[in-house]
Structures are given as C-alpha cells and as structure tokens.
C-alpha cells in the first residue's frame, strides 16, 4: 500500500476524531481499497450507507 494512502487515511482519521467521531477498521480498509482503485466509489458507498428504511 503506498505510503501516501496511509497518510491520507491517518489525516482523515485525526480530523474526524477532532470532531468527536471515530473510524472503524472496516471503514479504513474500504478507504484503502477505494484509494488504491480496487473498488469504485459506488461499491464503497454501498458498504457504508445503510439501505433506505433500515434506520
């Protein structure tokens, strides 16, 4: 995994923590795959956005 992808994920995680949010390992792994071109944005969003009506 390129160093720049890891740095990007770490920077985003720090920013989210400052806002009182947390990032799961699953979310970070999906981000790695997205940034590496292994999955599309649509595939990423399908994993992190709950289906409509499942709230």
């Amino acid at each position: 995994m390129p160093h720049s992808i890891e740095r990007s994920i770490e920077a985003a995680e720090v920013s989210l923590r400052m806002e009182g949010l947390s990032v799961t390992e699953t979310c970070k792994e999906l981000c790695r795959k997205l940034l590496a071109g292994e999955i599309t944005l649509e595939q990423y969003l399908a994993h992190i956005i709950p289906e409509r009506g499942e709230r």
Side-chain angles (χ1 to χ4, degrees), residues 1-2 4 29:
M1 188 73 39
S4 61
E29 184 57 33

Side-chain angles (χ1 to χ4, degrees), residues 1 5-6 9 28-36:
M1 188 73 39
I5 290 176
E6 288 302 315
I9 291 171
K28 287 191 279 187
E29 184 57 33
L30 288 168
C31 286
R32 286 182 188 96
K33 288 181 178 184
L34 175 64
L35 295 171

Side-chain angles (χ1 to χ4, degrees), residues 9 24-40 43-49:
I9 291 171
T24 65
E25 287 301 318
T26 300
C27 186
K28 287 191 279 187
E29 184 57 33
L30 288 168
C31 286
R32 286 182 188 96
K33 288 181 178 184
L34 175 64
L35 295 171
E38 296 174 16
I39 62 173
T40 65
Q43 290 170 316
Y44 173 80
L45 293 175
H47 281 39
I48 64 167
I49 297 175

Side-chain angles (χ1 to χ4, degrees), residues 5-16:
I5 290 176
E6 288 302 315
R7 288 186 52 108
S8 295
I9 291 171
E10 290 171 7
E13 184 176 12
V14 167
S15 179
L16 287 167

